[in-house]
């Protein structure tokens, strides 16, 4: 499939999802022009704040390919993404993101993620979400064990 066809599929998924009670987001993951997986936004339908279209597509692609490394794949998505999606895209190592709408388009219909990006730029103590470090000395054991592990799979 061409890039245009793959993007049209992502757009079609988002339109179908709106018609089926979901949010206006769809994503397609492709490798060499072939669809590996798709995803739609099911945040409210599944009561899952992480069920964004891109995250759902990444989960499906990783399962279909049997790997967490999607570096030979590209993602086609309706809109340049929320921080949760962008983080997942980086962790999955997708080689390229194609998007149809930008963050201003999303903001104009009530999907504004700028507050999260603003929060991330602040020092921890200046953020609206309170956080507290605790039990570091006990928790560091898992990191030490990982560092010493000979058969670990890096990710």
């Amino acid at each position: 499939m061409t890039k245009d066809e793959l993007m049209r599929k992502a757009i079609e998924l988002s339109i179908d999802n709106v018609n089926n009670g979901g949010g206006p987001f769809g994503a397609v993951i492709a490798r060499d022009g072939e669809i590996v997986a798709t995803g739609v936004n099911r945040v409210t339908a599944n009561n899952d704040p992480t069920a964004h279209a891109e995250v759902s597509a990444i989960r499906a692609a990783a399962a279909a390919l049997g790997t967490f490394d999607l570096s030979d794949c590209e993602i086609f998505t309706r809109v340049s993404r929320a921080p949760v999606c962008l983080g997942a895209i980086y962790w999955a190592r997708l080689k390229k993101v194609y998007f149809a709408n930008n963050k201003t388009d999303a903001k104009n219909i009530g999907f504004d993620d700028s507050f999260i990006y603003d929060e991330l730029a602040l020092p921890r103590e200046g953020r609206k979400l309170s956080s507290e470090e605790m039990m570091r000395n006990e928790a560091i054991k898992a990191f030490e064990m990982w560092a010493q592990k000979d058969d670990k799979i890096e990710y």
Side-chain angles (χ1 to χ4, degrees), residues 60-115:
L65 297 175
T67 182
F68 59 85
D69 183 351
L70 304 178
S71 58
D72 59 349
C73 298
E74 300 173 321
I75 189 165
F76 295 79
T77 180
R78 276 261 302 108
V79 68
S80 63
R81 289 313 311 143
V84 67
C85 301
L86 188 57
I89 288 167
Y90 274 106
W91 279 110
R93 298 181 178 95
L94 288 155
K95 68 180 176 181
K96 189 161 186 176
V97 178
Y98 297 92
F99 62 93
N101 296 117
N102 61 41
K103 63 184 179 180
T104 302
D105 297 328
K107 181 179 179 177
N108 288 341
I109 62 161
F111 292 95
D112 185 7
D113 297 317
S114 61
F115 74 97

Side-chain angles (χ1 to χ4, degrees), residues 17-34:
N17 199 48
V18 170
N19 289 330
N20 290 305
F25 305 101
V28 171
I29 294 181
R31 181 170 62 185
D32 299 324
E34 296 295 322

